[in-house]
Amino acid sequence: MKHFISKVWIDAGRIYARTTDGLLASYPVAMWERLAAATEDQLNDFYFSYSGIHWPGLDEDLGFEGMFHSAGLCERTDSEDSVCYISESC
């Protein structure tokens, strides 16, 4: 089953990602050295692509499938796209 990201946000030192069908993955930013050392402005300077969250100023990337697989919410796939973001323009 494929899940589609509807929202990504950072609050109180945690990264959250929610799918359109209600799955929610959340992790403390402290799990990643670059994110843990970042300022609030740097943490909020991200964008997401089809497969993950990207912080260009921090040179850090997190894949959606990895986040949801680690939380026990999906199976890992060879193509690593069981959880993805599709923009309204796609």
Side-chain angles (χ1 to χ4, degrees):
M1 175 176 193
K2 194 169 261 203
H3 304 280
F4 299 98
I5 296 295
S6 63
K7 184 176 181 181
V8 172
W9 72 100
I10 299 172
D11 185 37
R14 294 187 72 84
I15 301 166
Y16 298 87
R18 182 182 325 233
T19 64
T20 56
D21 56 346
L23 297 178
L24 178 66
S26 169
Y27 295 94
V29 296
M31 289 181 64
W32 297 275
E33 186 176 324
R34 290 180 188 149
L35 298 181
T39 66
E40 186 175 340
D41 286 341
Q42 289 174 313
L43 284 176
N44 287 310
D45 183 24
F46 67 88
Y47 67 92
F48 34 105
S49 67
Y50 177 77
S51 62
I53 309 166
H54 309 283
W55 287 267
L58 299 172
D59 192 28
E60 187 69 71
D61 304 292
L62 299 179
F64 292 130
E65 184 175 89
M67 288 179 71
F68 282 79
H69 173 73
S70 293
L73 299 171
C74 76
E75 296 295 320
R76 191 168 297 278
T77 63
D78 289 338
S79 60
E80 295 190 7
D81 69 350
S82 66
V83 181
C84 56
Y85 171 72
I86 303 292
S87 71
E88 292 178 16
S89 63
C90 292

